[in-house]
Amino acid sequence: MSGLIPQRFVEDLLDRVDLAELIGSRITLKKAGASYKARCPFHDEKTPSFNVRPDKGFYHCFGCGAHGDAISFVREFEGLGFTEAVEELARRAGLEVPYDQNAKQEIQQARTLTDALDYASRLYQSALRSPQGEFARDYLRQRGLDDNIIQLYQLGYAPGTGTALFDSCSKDLQGPLIETGTVSDKYGRPRDLFRNRVMFPIRNSRGKTIAFGGRTLGDDKAKYINSPESDVFHKSREIYGLYEAKQAIRQLDKLLVVEGYMDVIALAQHDIHFAVATLGTATNQDSLTALLRQVRHLVFCFDGDQAGFRAADRALENALELMADGLHLQFLMLPDGEDPDTLVRKEGPEAFKKRIEGATPLSRYLFDRQSEGLDLQLPEHRGELRARAEPLLNKMPRSTLRDAMWHEMLRLCGGRNNWQSRQPQNGQKRFGDRRDRIQEERIDVRLSKDSTLCLALLEAPDMASDVIELARQSRQFGQARGFAEWILERQIRDRRKLVHTLATDKQARARFYHLFDGIEHIPSRESTLAGARELLTPDRDAARKQRLTSLLTAKRSLADLTPEERQELKALSGHTED
């Protein structure tokens, strides 16, 4: 729908929004010159690295890289789509979004569907409180739920008559209920999808009902069933309990991802309000993306049986392709035979929170799982670990985390701490030990002149003019010339501003992303600058001797020299500069 809102309106809306006021209404900002600072709402941090520039109309976090304007902030902070974010800002500014006719019809259609589902939710809640809902109420009490938590999550009861919902609604709601699959006309006559079940409404970020989950109270083959997908419900993108979590905790910093509706509700009953559950395939990339739009810290909680570990492994594999610096993923595996619902009631919320705090980081979980059954004292098993772990690490995008995990894999597979450091016993020589073994000297890697100049520019951008002057005399400095010209265009004079611009400017990142790909060894700063200076200021003595030779050999005798050439020869011979 984003394409159906005129771009001119979007630009005008952004001009009207006070970015500091908008963000300050959600997090605490502190004035710092022309900008404002705060702890980033998109990742965990102790010192403020989140900067807001109202005069420029953008925010940027130097910790996790979050960056954008008012619309992107509302989208990320509230978990809204583009259209919803624009509508939210338009309401704040007292404007009406100028949709075209087709867009208005689509929006009205969606509202009609959610209005019908909201009606169904109210009916189910009423049925739970009625005499026919007594068995459902007893079931919920046995699960330890009180009236407050039942009301918070709007739990209900679907009567078992088969047409209770359809018969009770008006004609203008019957069509939308059939369209969402809440009422089925598959066999030529309307019939409620949910019958004799405890009902769990699934709500979107605005609190509107978009689907249901139902738990049977009878002997149905399917213990739980969900609404089919519709124009307002895509199960791979929806998160159960997210709306309630955001109502309870205004500024979410992490989410605990569990496997079922009752796990979410039971944890909330015990004052753990940041638990949510994915729908459909537990942890596919769509659901992970939806989760990461909300927070930068996820804790996956699974039962400690084989099925739980398989689910955790799937979550891990899907998460690897999305991992980036600033994301923090952990895995909490519960004792075998326990789930969050049973365990939190058994040991209490404080003990369960300690389990969450001690959850295993993604990197450790990966290597622990891949090294199961292996003895890393054996070279064969270290090779097996690498064969298992390397394909997983290859799924990760380039990042500091990926590099660190590669080093950890090499450390584990090298095993030097375990076997290479062992001393020979009983005076025996270790294989390969020789007194006259040749001592290898480290050979410094020599970079190309172009790469040397590029590295020097990264350290000292003020050298850009000299680099361009040198590059004009030779075609071998193409990369350095382009880098230097860009630095001059941006009027960059120091390293800090250069790094900041490269990090925040998308076009610059795309242009220079592969600039240093061919460099396997980075020399020290001093070595880099010395090499650049040598290129920029070649040996003047060698140039003097070359000119002296050309003067002496170009003429048959000194008498043939012009007065100017004699003066130059005198200066060169006297080691003075002209």
Side-chain angles (χ1 to χ4, degrees), residues 374-382 415 418-419 422:
L374 301 180
D375 179 0
L376 298 185
Q377 299 258 354
L378 300 175
E380 295 87 349
H381 287 201
R382 291 194 296 276
N418 296 324
W419 66 281
R422 288 185 296 176

Side-chain angles (χ1 to χ4, degrees), residues 30-37 51:
K30 291 185 178 180
K31 193 81 166 66
S35 64
Y36 293 82
K37 289 189 175 182
N51 284 255

